[in-house]
Amino acid sequence: MMTTPSTKPVVLLRPAPQKRDRIFTPAALSALNDVFTVIDLDDASNDEVFDKYLPDAFAIIGQPDLDAERLSRANRLKALINVEGNFFPNVDYAAAFAQGVRVLGCGSAYSQAVAEYSLGLAIDLARGISHQDGAMRAGSEKYVSESNTDAVLLHRASVGILGYGNLGRSLHRLLQPFHNTVRIYDPWLPAAVIEDTGGIASSLEETLSSSQFVYVFATATADSTHLLDGPALDLLPQGARLILVSRAAVVDYDALLERLTAGRFLAAIDVWPVEPVPEDSPFRTLENTVLSPHRAGGITQAFESIGDMVVDDLTLMARGLAPVRLQAAAPELVGRYRNKPVT
């Protein structure tokens, strides 16, 4: 329900494709309304009300279409907050930055959930947990050492991480007890940043060819589309474990399917070029693959932390202070992303 404007700063709440009640607990929404006049557009399907209040908006929670002309009408706008997790190409980011608008994202809210899930997938690939569960349900299980012929330890294994943002760093911290050798490929970071965390800054080729476990966290850009094509996948050692939990566009899935079918390596896949995955997808028949329906980060605790982060940072900004919990988009990078909404 929309509120009546008052002397409090105006916040336009239009979180689609996210849902208001998924990211804001009742307490967080109450706290937001205590400080701001919230124009709640969670259920609004047209732009009339949004455009009416846009000139008075202090902040926009969500990422509606904002070209330069529309932004020029937002004279009081201080923050544009993406609460879905992906920066979409429907905003003139250059115009926003030129107006002094902070572009903020909630990606870090998902990092712990995705990191823990990624670790779980790696252990599953190492020990065949879900595969043997299926075998027992089908009455075809093997016992003790017979069921462990291709099992390996994650402990002291060589690990590769592609992309060292929120997800890569969170996963790296979880790997500390396993005493891995960790090679990291991230062309957006100097080697010193990676080495200060105990990783080894490496090329893509070295990371792939030297790692028994490879985690893919690279973001989708024009440059990274099909980063893992056939020749790149061929660099993986025989029997390697590949964990895909970030952007599907980074991988050539036809090439991936061909190599998995040939038994070159094992994979756990949580992101797909088409979702839902078609019922007749050949990936569903692979025994060396753990299948996951894009669920690594989408848990209640992660969603609700987004609302808390928004309330904390907007409250700080209303006091004339800088936001500290949400992640500020870099003007040099945000326009490069080629992300799609997660439905």
Side-chain angles (χ1 to χ4, degrees):
M1 181 176 180
M2 285 178 283
T3 60
T4 302
S6 67
T7 58
K8 296 186 290 186
V10 173
V11 169
L12 301 183
L13 176 56
R14 192 174 185 176
Q18 195 60 275
K19 293 292 186 182
R20 176 198 60 219
D21 293 338
R22 182 159 66 176
I23 60 176
F24 287 100
T25 63
L29 197 58
S30 176
L32 188 69
N33 279 284
D34 285 344
V35 181
F36 301 96
T37 295
V38 180
I39 309 300
D40 189 345
L41 300 171
D42 186 48
D43 299 320
S45 59
N46 63 60
D47 292 337
E48 186 175 338
V49 176
F50 180 85
D51 286 328
K52 175 182 177 181
Y53 290 107
L54 183 60
D56 295 320
F58 174 80
I60 298 170
I61 301 173
Q63 198 163 316
D65 295 339
L66 290 169
D67 58 18
E69 188 280 326
R70 205 176 201 185
L71 279 165
S72 71
R73 290 184 267 129
N75 298 317
R76 299 182 182 182
L77 190 64
K78 299 299 181 185
L80 172 63
I81 303 177
N82 180 286
V83 289
E84 195 267 357
N86 299 292
F87 288 109
F88 309 139
N90 67 335
V91 172
D92 190 325
Y93 293 105
F97 288 118
Q99 287 181 215
V101 177
R102 293 182 186 267
V103 179
L104 305 171
C106 66
S108 59
Y110 299 107
S111 58
Q112 185 66 24
V114 174
E116 290 186 13
Y117 197 77
S118 301
L119 179 59
L121 290 175
I123 293 174
D124 192 343
L125 288 177
R127 301 302 304 275
I129 298 168
S130 58
H131 184 266
Q132 289 304 312
D133 172 81
M136 287 200 73
R137 295 177 190 277
S140 59
E141 75 272 15
K142 297 178 181 179
Y143 284 83
V144 196
S145 60
E146 276 193 285
S147 65
N148 282 319
T149 55
D150 61 351
V152 297
L153 289 177
L154 179 57
H155 184 251
R156 296 196 182 280
S158 56
V159 167
I161 298 176
L162 308 185
Y164 203 56
N166 294 321
L167 304 182
R169 296 176 196 219
S170 294
L171 184 276
H172 194 187
R173 287 192 290 271
L174 293 183
L175 290 176
Q176 296 306 309
F178 292 92
H179 304 289
N180 303 115
T181 299
V182 181
R183 291 178 175 83
I184 297 168
Y185 170 71
D186 193 319
W188 290 2
L189 292 177
V193 172
I194 293 171
E195 291 163 359
D196 283 347
T197 66
I200 301 170
S202 302
S203 66
L204 176 64
E205 293 75 15
E206 182 183 8
T207 302
L208 293 174
S209 63
S210 302
S211 301
Q212 190 175 10
F213 291 82
V214 174
Y215 298 85
V216 182
F217 299 124
T219 193
T221 68
D223 293 334
S224 68
T225 299
H226 285 191
L227 178 72
L228 294 185
D229 57 11
L233 292 170
D234 286 340
L235 295 173
L236 290 168
Q238 180 69 34
R241 271 69 170 171
L242 183 68
I243 300 97
L244 303 177
V245 290
S246 188
R247 310 301 177 196
V250 173
V251 181
D252 181 340
Y253 276 69
D254 290 336
L256 176 63
L257 176 63
E258 181 180 341
R259 283 146 184 84
L260 288 172
T261 302
R264 278 274 292 109
F265 48 79
L266 292 77
I269 308 172
D270 184 55
V271 289
W272 303 90
V274 176
E275 295 179 1
V277 176
E279 291 185 8
D280 61 352
S281 170
F283 280 97
R284 295 182 183 271
T285 67
L286 298 174
E287 293 191 4
N288 58 351
T289 306
V290 175
L291 309 179
S292 176
H294 204 150
R295 59 188 299 268
I299 66 173
T300 299
Q301 287 168 289
F303 288 134
E304 292 181 350
S305 70
I306 295 171
D308 293 339
M309 293 162 69
V310 170
V311 172
D312 286 344
D313 275 358
L314 283 183
T315 301
L316 286 172
M317 292 186 68
R319 294 169 51 202
L321 300 173
V324 296
R325 296 198 64 193
L326 293 159
Q327 190 166 23
E332 299 85 357
L333 300 179
V334 67
R336 298 188 185 187
Y337 299 132
R338 298 294 183 270
N339 298 320
K340 298 185 295 184
V342 177
T343 57

